[in-house]
């Protein structure tokens, strides 16, 4: 393992859990309800944070004057919640957690999503207690690629960035981690440009690609 590493800090959406997929599916299904096709090529933003208002505005414009926003939202969220009932951590992540415990590494999460969203999911799959430090988008002024949420995680860990490794699934997440001074492992999610991760220190296809000790040795 690379010397000096004391903690690992993970993004959540698209990295620890494939909520990017359920998010997209809920919107795709809602557009189909109205007999329309969602333009998936422009769906994901190049920054963290909630983009729901933009998506509802686009759907309302496409549907026209008969669009019922409250009904649309209720229907979409109900469908998304059914998808989440069976959603677990990404393959390989629990093996990394177990290996980190064996190596004496501390764990943190740093997400642009709100606290309740992340903690509810981690509680549901029985993993919230793994994370000694947690930092969320509703606690900082700027979303990734702004490094604010990583800087908050570092303060809560009380560690300098050189002793912490970040794990991300988007280019703007990698940019945030690097701007905070962290080394960063990227696992690009299926909706990102895989050529946009040159700033990452290591790029993997999945957490199952390498055991954690071997991965950290590459840093």
């Amino acid at each position: 393992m690379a010397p000096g590493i004391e903690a690992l800090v993970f993004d959540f959406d698209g990295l620890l859990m494939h909520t990017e997929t359920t998010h997209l599916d809920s919107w795709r299904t809602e557009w189909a309800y109205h007999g329309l096709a969602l333009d998936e090529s422009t769906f994901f933003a190049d920054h963290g944070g909630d983009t729901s208002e933009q998506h509802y505005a686009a759907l309302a414009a496409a549907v026209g004057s008969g669009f019922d926003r409250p009904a649309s939202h209720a229907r979409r969220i109900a469908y998304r919640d059914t998808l989440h009932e069976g959603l677990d951590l990404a393959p390989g992540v629990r093996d990394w957690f177990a290996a980190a415990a064996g190596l004496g590494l501390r764990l943190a999460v740093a997400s642009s999503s709100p606290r309740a969203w992340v903690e509810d999911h981690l509680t549901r799959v029985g993993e919230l207690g793994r994370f000694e430090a947690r930092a969320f988008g509703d606690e900082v002024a700027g979303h990734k690629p702004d490094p604010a949420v990583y800087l908050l995680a570092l303060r809560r860990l009380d560690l300098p960035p050189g002793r912490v490794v970040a794990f991300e699934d988007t280019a703007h997440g990698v940019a945030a981690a690097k701007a905070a001074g962290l080394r960063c492992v990227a696992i690009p999610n299926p909706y990102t440009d895989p050529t946009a991760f040159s700033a990452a220190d290591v790029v993997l296809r999945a957490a199952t690609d390498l055991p954690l000790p071997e991965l950290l040795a590459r840093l």
Side-chain angles (χ1 to χ4, degrees):
M1 188 174 72
I5 296 175
E6 295 186 34
L8 312 178
V9 57
F10 293 89
D11 175 51
F12 178 72
D13 295 291
L15 188 285
L16 288 183
M17 193 172 283
H18 294 316
T19 52
E20 302 283 20
T21 298
T22 57
H23 182 59
L24 174 61
D25 193 13
S26 73
W27 280 101
R28 182 194 294 126
T29 300
E30 185 57 22
W31 277 70
Y33 175 87
H34 295 281
L36 301 168
L38 172 67
D39 181 2
E40 298 180 18
S41 67
T42 60
F43 181 77
F44 288 103
D46 59 357
H47 57 82
D50 189 0
T51 56
S52 295
E53 289 306 315
Q54 296 94 305
H55 292 315
Y56 279 119
L59 180 57
V63 172
S65 60
F67 181 66
D68 185 336
R69 161 67 184 270
S72 176
H73 179 71
R75 186 168 49 242
R76 186 182 70 83
I77 296 302
Y79 175 66
R80 189 193 66 187
D81 287 348
T82 65
L83 297 177
H84 287 162
E85 288 174 4
L87 189 65
D88 199 2
L89 295 179
V93 166
R94 280 196 175 87
D95 291 336
W96 279 0
F97 288 170
L103 294 168
L105 297 173
R106 301 159 65 194
L107 299 184
V109 62
S111 172
S112 287
S113 293
R115 174 184 293 273
W117 170 262
V118 178
E119 291 191 343
D120 286 355
H121 278 296
L122 290 175
T123 298
R124 179 174 55 79
V125 297
E127 298 292 347
L128 181 63
R130 294 268 192 184
F131 298 93
E132 174 184 337
R134 306 162 199 161
F136 304 103
D138 52 358
E139 299 182 289
V140 296
H143 294 302
K144 301 172 184 177
D146 189 301
V149 74
Y150 275 111
L151 295 173
L152 178 59
L154 289 172
R155 289 197 297 273
R156 288 178 174 168
L157 286 167
D158 193 24
L159 287 174
R163 296 188 177 275
V164 182
V165 177
F167 292 77
E168 276 286 351
D169 70 303
T170 63
H172 58 266
V174 172
K178 299 299 285 186
L182 283 69
R183 284 169 283 186
C184 188
V185 175
I187 304 178
N189 75 53
Y191 314 107
T192 59
D193 177 0
T195 68
F197 289 82
S198 59
D201 296 279
V202 177
V203 180
L204 303 177
R205 293 169 301 174
T208 53
D209 280 0
L210 286 176
L212 184 67
E214 185 177 341
L215 168 61
L216 298 180
R218 296 191 178 190
L219 298 169

